[in-house]
């Protein structure tokens, strides 16, 4: 009988990591979740530990680790601005030292490594939509630089380990993602608006709300991540994973109000520092290489996300 594949998910107690662990368990993998719980959710670990093939290791990726694994999904790093700006030095080190340690682990195990990069490598883009060939417009200093530049440096390490030492790597540039499993204090637009609407509080929009984002439902993102990981051959070049349907932030706020039935108001705050004005992926490469396109539109994805937050915030006892 063939040995069961062992998949390591760093940051597995976070939003995307939790959903990825669920999917890997459902397809029969042995799953090791490595997380230092800086932004991971204990309830995610508690739920996942009901599976006999799930194993939790509390560990900081900035420190080396020795494990026997077949696949590594490197998702370790806070992804929301409030979380990664809370300790910017740690954010940079997690991106750089964490990736180095996971690359060394991959080489020791002859394992494939998929790294969760980000659309933030494009900065405040001058190209729209953003293709993987675009080098970006990123500030090396500022409140967002710890995340943006940390992720850019991580991609450099991945490329050099592949070129010099033959590491088998995949790079997913993940655009805005939402869905069940987010924190109430995540700090990103979808979760902020839903939590505010359910509480009857004002929905806070930075600036005039005309800046845009593209929101991908988490199930679609996991589909793309798994297709990229399982793709045979040399595919070390980055691949955008996101929903190319672009909407203004104020429009998102209005959709949340309609979907929740909230009577909350939309109020406007000063522009956030260095906040990109536009963000939309060109997914031509993902479609050609993986046969992948998102299936869930924002209206359909908001419903289960709102139901999840109703339960999490105690608005209802059970999901409708």
């Amino acid at each position: 009988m063939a040995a069961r594949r062992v998949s390591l998910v760093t940051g597995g107690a976070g939003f995307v990591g939790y959903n990825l662990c669920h999917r890997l368990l459902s397809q029969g993998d042995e799953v090791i979740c490595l997380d230092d719980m800086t932004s991971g959710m204990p309830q995610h670990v508690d739920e996942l530990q009901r599976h006999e093939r799930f194993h939790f290791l509390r560990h900081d990726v900035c420190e080396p680790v020795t494990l026997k694994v077949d696949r590594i999904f490197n998702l370790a790093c806070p992804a929301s601005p409030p979380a990664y700006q809370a300790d910017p030095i740690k954010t940079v080190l997690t991106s750089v030292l964490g990736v180095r340690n996971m690359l060394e682990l991959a080489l020791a195990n002859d394992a494939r490594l998929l790294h969760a990069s980000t659309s933030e490598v494009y900065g405040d883009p001058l190209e729209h939509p953003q293709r993987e060939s675009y080098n970006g417009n990123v500030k090396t200093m500022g409140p967002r630089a710890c995340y943006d530049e940390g992720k850019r440096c991580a991609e450099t390490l991945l490329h050099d380990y592949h070129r010099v030492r033959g590491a088998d790597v995949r790079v997913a540039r993940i655009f805005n993602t939402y869905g069940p499993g987010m924190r109430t204090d995540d700090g990103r637009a979808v979760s902020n608006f839903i939590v505010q609407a359910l509480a009857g509080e004002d929905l806070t929009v930075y600036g005039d709300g005309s800046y845009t984002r593209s929101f991908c439902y988490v199930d679609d993102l996991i589909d793309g991540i798994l297709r990229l990981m399982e793709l045979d051959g040399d595919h070390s070049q980055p691949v955008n994973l996101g929903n190319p349907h672009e909407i203004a932030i104020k429009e998102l706020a209005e959709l949340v109000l309609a979907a929740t039935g909230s009577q909350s108001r939309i109020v406007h705050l000063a522009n956030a520092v260095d906040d990109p004005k536009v963000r939309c992926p060109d997914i031509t490469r993902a479609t050609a290489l993986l046969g992948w396109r998102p299936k869930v539109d924002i209206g359909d994805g908001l419903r289960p996300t709102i139901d999840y937050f109703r339960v999490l915030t105690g608005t209802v006892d059970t999901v409708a």
Side-chain angles (χ1 to χ4, degrees):
M1 186 175 181
R4 182 178 285 125
R5 186 168 65 184
V6 179
S7 292
L8 171 65
V9 181
T10 71
F15 163 46
V16 174
Y18 161 75
N19 282 278
L20 177 59
C21 286
H22 260 300
R23 187 75 68 88
L24 292 169
L25 289 165
S26 72
Q27 67 182 30
D29 286 22
E30 197 90 13
V31 176
I32 301 172
C33 165
L34 185 154
D35 203 304
D36 71 354
M37 302 307 290
T38 297
S39 58
M41 295 174 64
Q43 54 265 51
H44 288 343
V45 177
D46 292 342
E47 181 181 337
L48 289 164
Q49 283 183 325
R50 298 173 187 170
H51 297 264
E52 62 179 14
R53 287 179 280 103
F54 177 82
H55 313 278
F56 176 66
L57 175 62
R58 187 162 188 161
H59 184 85
D60 187 343
V61 291
C62 292
E63 301 296 330
V65 65
T66 301
L67 294 166
K68 292 291 185 182
V69 297
D70 302 302
R71 292 282 189 269
I72 301 171
F73 297 84
N74 186 46
L75 277 61
C77 189
S80 73
Y84 67 65
Q85 292 175 24
D87 190 346
I89 296 172
K90 178 65 183 297
T91 296
V92 173
L93 294 177
T94 298
S95 292
V96 178
L97 295 180
V99 169
R100 191 275 307 272
N101 289 332
M102 289 304 106
L103 282 162
E104 292 290 346
L105 183 63
L107 289 173
N109 284 275
D110 192 24
R112 180 173 295 167
L113 167 64
L114 183 144
H115 174 66
S117 189
T118 172
S119 61
E120 298 303 321
V121 300
Y122 300 120
D124 190 3
L126 304 179
E127 172 181 293
H128 191 68
Q130 294 83 59
R131 296 171 294 177
E132 293 88 348
S133 58
Y134 177 53
N135 290 329
N137 178 38
V138 182
K139 293 175 66 173
T140 59
M141 291 176 283
R144 302 176 70 99
C146 59
Y147 185 69
D148 302 359
E149 291 293 78
K151 289 289 191 176
R152 286 166 68 92
C153 187
E155 287 197 14
T156 300
L157 270 175
L158 288 153
H159 172 77
D160 288 341
Y161 264 79
H162 171 72
R163 181 173 56 86
V164 176
R165 299 184 59 184
D168 186 0
V169 301
R170 304 285 186 272
V171 178
R173 287 184 178 163
I174 298 172
F175 283 67
N176 294 70
T177 304
Y178 71 99
M182 302 179 83
R183 297 174 62 109
T184 55
D185 61 352
D186 179 83
R188 284 176 281 195
V190 171
S191 55
N192 278 357
F193 291 162
I194 293 174
V195 170
Q196 290 167 340
L198 293 178
E201 299 172 352
D202 293 339
L203 274 62
T204 51
V205 171
Y206 293 100
D208 64 6
S210 63
Y211 55 101
T212 66
R213 293 294 184 269
S214 305
F215 296 97
C216 186
Y217 191 63
V218 67
D219 288 356
D220 284 334
L221 175 68
I222 300 301
D223 287 341
I225 285 174
L226 293 176
R227 290 189 188 203
L228 182 57
M229 174 61 96
E230 297 307 322
L231 190 66
D232 290 330
D234 182 353
H235 298 287
S236 60
Q237 294 301 305
V239 178
N240 286 339
L241 294 179
N243 194 321
H245 174 65
E246 183 181 13
I247 65 170
I249 291 297
K250 185 175 181 182
E251 181 184 351
L252 173 67
E254 292 166 348
L255 287 173
V256 169
L257 289 177
T260 57
S262 173
Q263 299 301 308
S264 296
R265 301 177 308 145
I266 296 173
V267 298
H268 296 268
L269 305 179
N271 285 317
V273 179
D274 296 338
D275 203 17
K277 301 175 189 66
V278 293
R279 178 74 83 236
C280 182
D282 182 321
I283 60 168
T284 302
R285 180 177 292 177
T287 301
L289 196 63
L290 310 176
W292 177 86
R293 290 190 66 87
K295 299 175 182 177
V296 181
D297 67 29
I298 186 70
D300 291 335
L302 280 177
R303 285 192 288 273
T305 308
I306 291 167
D307 287 343
Y308 160 80
F309 276 110
R310 287 190 191 280
V311 174
L312 198 62
T313 60
T315 309
V316 294
D317 294 327
T318 57
V319 174

